[in-house]
Amino acid sequence: MWHKDAFTYESHEMGKWFIAVVGQHVKSSYRCVVVNVYSTCSLREKIDLWGNLSALKMASSDPVWCFCGDFNAIRKRGERKGTSVRDNHTSEMGRFNNFIVTNMLIELPIVGKKYTWFSSNGKAMSRLDRVLVSEEWLQEWPMGKQYVQRIEVSDHCAIMVKSLDKDWGPKPFRTIDAWFMERGFLMMVKDRWTSYPAQGNAFTVLKEKLKRFKEDLKVWNMDVLSIIECTKKKILEELEVLDCQACSGVLEDSENL
């Protein structure tokens, strides 16, 4: 990320136990957020950290995310060896996994060592460091893996994130049934499709049009369907208020009777 020919820095946000860097991956032109985590040992402070990270992601419109670093937490019992897993560790595992699921994060496949932290005598070891990414990150780098390096100056292993640059052919183009139920969707598709330039052979034209339409469709989906979901939520909240008012009216009538 320090190389200007690989990553263009835009902004950053610092919090207790993390630094979030926003920028653009030069080669793909993807705007992404990379969050480096260095967690505390306190469970209470870990819970605060996970809450702050969730709030940070929720408040952002950027879909491409990567959380990496020392989370100081395990996801399952097999990620700790040489020390007992106490009751507070069980609670910690549940809360940590809930943070991952709630934010729809995916842990990259690990290559190399099973553990990333080792005690000085080598008898105790844990998987405390990891890389968690959003689905959109995987769409851009589907072959991404986390490679655990050997221990050098720290008692933690460094982790290298790398995606094999292989062309496995075009990515599948998927649709959502709800799009076709939305008024104006088909007209939008026709207008956008005809607006794209058609240069080259038929296969090249189709590939480029699908690529451009995929990006436009993401914007349309966020602009249109997200508004519908907010409207539905507001209507449901208003209905709940009306139901409560109706129930109060019934109770008042029954008391009068």
Side-chain angles (χ1 to χ4, degrees):
M1 293 175 65
W2 299 108
H3 295 283
K4 293 183 179 180
D5 58 342
F7 185 85
T8 303
Y9 164 84
E10 293 183 14
S11 64
H12 73 276
E13 181 169 339
M14 293 184 65
K16 196 173 183 181
W17 314 111
F18 75 89
I19 301 176
V21 180
V22 183
Q24 188 177 67
H25 182 254
V26 174
K27 186 176 181 181
S28 65
S29 297
Y30 261 59
R31 191 169 185 267
C32 54
V33 184
V34 179
V35 185
N36 185 216
V37 178
Y38 186 69
S39 179
T40 173
C41 294
S42 165
L43 176 57
R44 181 180 58 81
E45 292 183 315
K46 287 179 191 177
I47 294 172
D48 291 340
L49 168 64
W50 299 331
N52 292 335
L53 293 179
S54 298
L56 181 71
K57 185 174 184 293
M58 186 178 299
S60 173
S61 59
D62 293 300
V64 184
W65 284 73
C66 174
F67 294 86
C68 56
D70 177 11
F71 288 88
N72 222 322
I74 60 174
R75 299 188 62 185
K76 54 187 178 182
R77 291 179 178 273
E79 293 183 348
R80 191 181 297 276
K81 185 178 180 181
T83 57
S84 59
V85 179
R86 300 185 296 272
D87 292 339
N88 63 326
H89 290 148
T90 303
S91 174
E92 178 181 284
M93 287 187 287
R95 291 175 181 273
F96 186 38
N97 283 317
N98 183 63
F99 158 75
I100 295 172
V101 172
T102 301
N103 290 281
M104 294 183 288
L105 299 175
I106 302 165
E107 183 165 0
L108 292 180
I110 188 170
V111 178
K113 296 182 178 66
K114 180 179 178 181
Y115 305 102
T116 62
W117 171 86
F118 297 84
S119 62
S120 57
N121 59 13
K123 294 182 178 180
M125 53 200 74
S126 299
R127 173 82 184 281
L128 303 179
D129 313 81
R130 63 189 75 239
V131 180
L132 308 168
V133 300
S134 63
E135 183 179 350
E136 290 79 5
W137 179 287
L138 274 184
Q139 289 176 358
E140 179 58 26
W141 298 288
M143 300 303 295
K145 292 181 176 64
Q146 48 181 326
Y147 295 80
V148 181
Q149 309 298 298
R150 68 174 183 269
I151 286 182
E152 293 185 354
V153 297
S154 171
D155 55 355
H156 288 256
C157 299
I159 295 180
M160 178 186 294
V161 178
K162 184 167 59 175
S163 180
L164 298 177
D165 189 14
K166 291 186 178 181
D167 186 2
W168 298 96
K171 298 176 183 177
F173 187 88
R174 297 183 176 89
T175 62
I176 299 175
D177 291 342
W179 291 343
F180 297 93
M181 299 170 64
E182 178 60 25
R183 182 179 299 176
F185 171 71
L186 294 179
M187 183 60 67
M188 181 276 295
V189 173
K190 183 178 179 181
D191 292 342
R192 299 287 175 85
W193 191 264
T194 54
S195 68
Y196 304 141
Q199 298 178 351
N201 59 54
F203 290 105
T204 301
V205 171
L206 178 62
K207 178 183 176 182
E208 290 303 314
K209 283 193 171 186
L210 284 174
K211 182 179 178 180
R212 295 188 61 174
F213 181 64
K214 181 180 179 181
E215 298 303 316
D216 287 343
L217 193 54
K218 286 182 179 179
V219 176
W220 178 89
N221 182 70
M222 183 176 296
D223 291 343
V224 177
L225 293 190
S226 61
I227 293 175
I228 292 174
E229 287 300 317
C230 290
T231 304
K232 285 168 60 180
K233 183 178 180 181
K234 185 177 180 181
I235 291 173
L236 289 173
E237 289 174 350
E238 291 176 352
L239 287 174
E240 287 180 0
V241 172
L242 291 174
D243 286 342
C244 290
Q245 292 175 349
C247 290
S248 298
V250 171
L251 289 173
E252 289 178 0
D253 292 341
S254 63
E255 289 176 357
N256 293 333
L257 289 174

